[in-house]
Amino acid sequence: MGPMNTKVGKTLLRHWLLPGIVGAFLAAAPAEAAVLQSWRFQSAGNQLSFVTAGGVQPQAQLIADPVRLVIDLPGTTLGNIRQSQRVGGAIREIRVGQVDSRTARIVVELANGYTIDPNQVKFRGLSAESWTVELPSPQRIDAGSGRTMPTPNRGEIAAASTLLQDIQVGDTGIVLQTSGRPPEIDVKQASDRSWMSVDLTGVTISPSLGSRNRAVNSFGVERLQVMQISSSPPVTRVTLNMGNRGQDWETQVSSNGGVLLWPKGSTPPTLAGQGGTATIESVQLRNNGTELVVRADKPLTFTSGWDRQTAAYGITIYSANLAEDVDLPRGGSGSPVLWVRQRQDKPNSVTLLLQPGAGVEILGVNQPSAQQLSLQVRPGSVAVTPPDVPPPDSSPTYPVNNPPRPVSEPDYPRLPNQRVVIVVDPGHGGSDAGAIGIGGLREKDVNLDVGLQVAAILQQNGMQAVLTRRDDRDVELEPRTVMANRVNADLFVSIHSNAIDMSRPDVNGIETYYYESGRNLAEYIHRSILESFDVSDRGVRRARFYVLRHTNMPAVLVEMGFVTGRDDARMLADPAQRQRMAQAIARGIMRYAQAGR
């Protein structure tokens, strides 16, 4: 704590506090007015407790001259309670009052010559209506130096590596403008999503920073608070009080100085002095394919992560375009990276998709300079090189010519709120036609048509569908399972058509296979198909198919019928019946998801 003469205390010094070790005291904002029903202060443990009728959101600050802890309860009025309590000693008294028509206040006033360390004030929310505040033992202020608050003195500020200089609320997000080295950040969110905090490690609040408690009223954020929660090492906390609890947020530390916060799915804000569209001048693989380096002519703002649509690792660079003469690299034989492709999701943004080989670990993206990105990969310990999988199409939609409408008999079940991710795997493809049946019916064509329609139905009904292939192409077994595991899918369904010798057209019927955890899923899909088709039931069976043994989630393989069977081949060759089959498979998947099994 830095010295400060108490005579300077004539200037009001407010220091906003944050929650202690139990989490935030920023509870859910009350839906209606609360009433302060009771409070008490226990001198033995320096503990203040209070109870309200209705949830409250305490806001605390330490104020100088005289030193006092002020706890405001917005949206709260006083009940029939006592107004004060004389304590004596280092804590002079506790008072309660009504600041305005909607704010109650509790004041802990210290005796002259005493202060408390705000970093040791701990708020404990037993519920939204019941709170305790644990105060540290008051300490004497040195009469010569006036040691009071952990507010950095000029020497400490000069020595600080990074200062929080300004906070800007723009059209697309919030910018925490810093000077010095880029900070490390730690983002936390309340379980009820009523607040989000961003801790800036190594950052000290600049004396020139304006209001530390301000209204935002944009992007679903009601208020923003800034607090110095630690001086050694310095840690600054920025807390967003959320009005829209359904909004997810992106955060990024910029090497150009600052932290960007913006609603997920939108364009990030721009740092001061970083305007204009950047041109990506080069994208190169280096160090034997273990590093992807992106260079541009202006500072870059980006997000990165696994792309569930393609199972590739994506880097989305905002306010940027790719120079016309840039050649995207393609890994050679044995390279950890199979290919790099571009996708244009939005105007003025570029997404680079990188497909690592089997066993390759993505170590993440760093920003050595404002105009450069570096993505590091680590080859697996076992040298396994998957076959050369063609890059995904640029379009994020599923190419179904006539996407089926959800069936109404019976209606699809209501799905859980959390979006389920399912990999749909149309078997075979390309040079691998699978089985050839009656009239030249090819299994790969039937599988793809039904698979595309299953994915479309799932998408239309709130699930996230990922296809292992979208057209007639070769995809070996290993890349199919690698994709499912890499996107951390919830379910895997491989779609096939059965076959036997052409001399046995009497063999018809459906079979559904599982290996371990997929049995319940297999039974749901199998029963759903039998509801829609009067076909022979050949049962749900356990099998050691590659795609079932090498996936990390419940996985099944559906044999929709025999392309060599007299009855099944007629059904599988009919587009209308294939649509019914897709509807039945999708319905079984959604019933399983709704059951939460």
Side-chain angles (χ1 to χ4, degrees), residues 178-334:
T178 61
S179 63
R181 292 179 299 180
E184 296 181 3
I185 65 173
D186 182 21
V187 181
K188 298 183 178 69
Q189 190 171 43
S191 58
D192 64 358
R193 300 170 68 90
S194 61
W195 57 265
M196 180 180 79
S197 68
V198 182
D199 284 356
L200 311 176
T201 302
V203 175
T204 301
I205 300 175
S206 170
S208 63
L209 182 69
S211 173
R212 301 185 185 186
N213 186 349
R214 64 181 73 177
V216 177
N217 297 322
S218 296
F219 322 115
V221 179
E222 293 178 345
R223 298 196 67 82
L224 178 150
Q225 291 179 307
V226 184
M227 297 146 240
Q228 191 79 47
I229 63 171
S230 174
S231 57
S232 182
V235 178
T236 295
R237 179 172 289 172
V238 178
T239 301
L240 307 182
N241 186 7
M242 300 298 186
N244 179 5
R245 302 187 186 185
Q247 178 65 63
D248 292 323
W249 282 73
E250 300 271 12
T251 61
Q252 185 199 342
V253 178
S254 172
S255 62
N256 203 36
V259 178
L260 310 180
L261 314 173
W262 71 97
K264 187 173 184 178
S266 63
T267 301
T270 303
L271 283 167
Q274 193 177 314
T277 300
T279 298
I280 299 173
E281 298 176 331
S282 66
V283 180
Q284 299 175 328
L285 279 174
R286 296 183 176 179
N287 300 326
N288 297 320
T290 62
E291 181 184 22
L292 181 74
V293 178
V294 180
R295 296 181 183 274
D297 64 346
K298 286 185 174 66
L300 297 175
T301 300
F302 72 97
T303 56
S304 62
W306 288 105
D307 181 62
R308 282 183 159 176
Q309 178 188 321
T310 63
Y313 193 85
I315 307 174
T316 298
I317 305 172
Y318 298 95
S319 299
N321 56 55
L322 199 66
E324 293 183 0
D325 59 348
V326 171
D327 292 324
L328 297 179
R330 184 179 180 89
S333 177

Side-chain angles (χ1 to χ4, degrees), residues 489-510:
D490 298 295
L491 305 173
F492 178 93
V493 175
S494 190
I495 295 176
H496 287 256
S497 304
N498 222 332
I500 198 171
D501 190 275
M502 291 286 283
S503 64
R504 295 292 310 276
D506 56 308
V507 177
N508 297 270
I510 63 167

Side-chain angles (χ1 to χ4, degrees), residues 22 54 59 69 99 101 108 127 133 229 242 250 252 291 317 328 356 391 407 469 486 516 518 527 567 585:
V22 297
Q59 297 178 354
L69 175 67
V99 178
S101 61
V108 180
S127 69
V133 186
I229 63 171
M242 300 298 186
E250 300 271 12
Q252 185 199 342
E291 181 184 22
I317 305 172
L328 297 179
V407 295
R469 68 181 180 101
R486 184 164 286 146
E516 287 183 344
R527 286 197 298 267
D567 300 328
I585 293 173

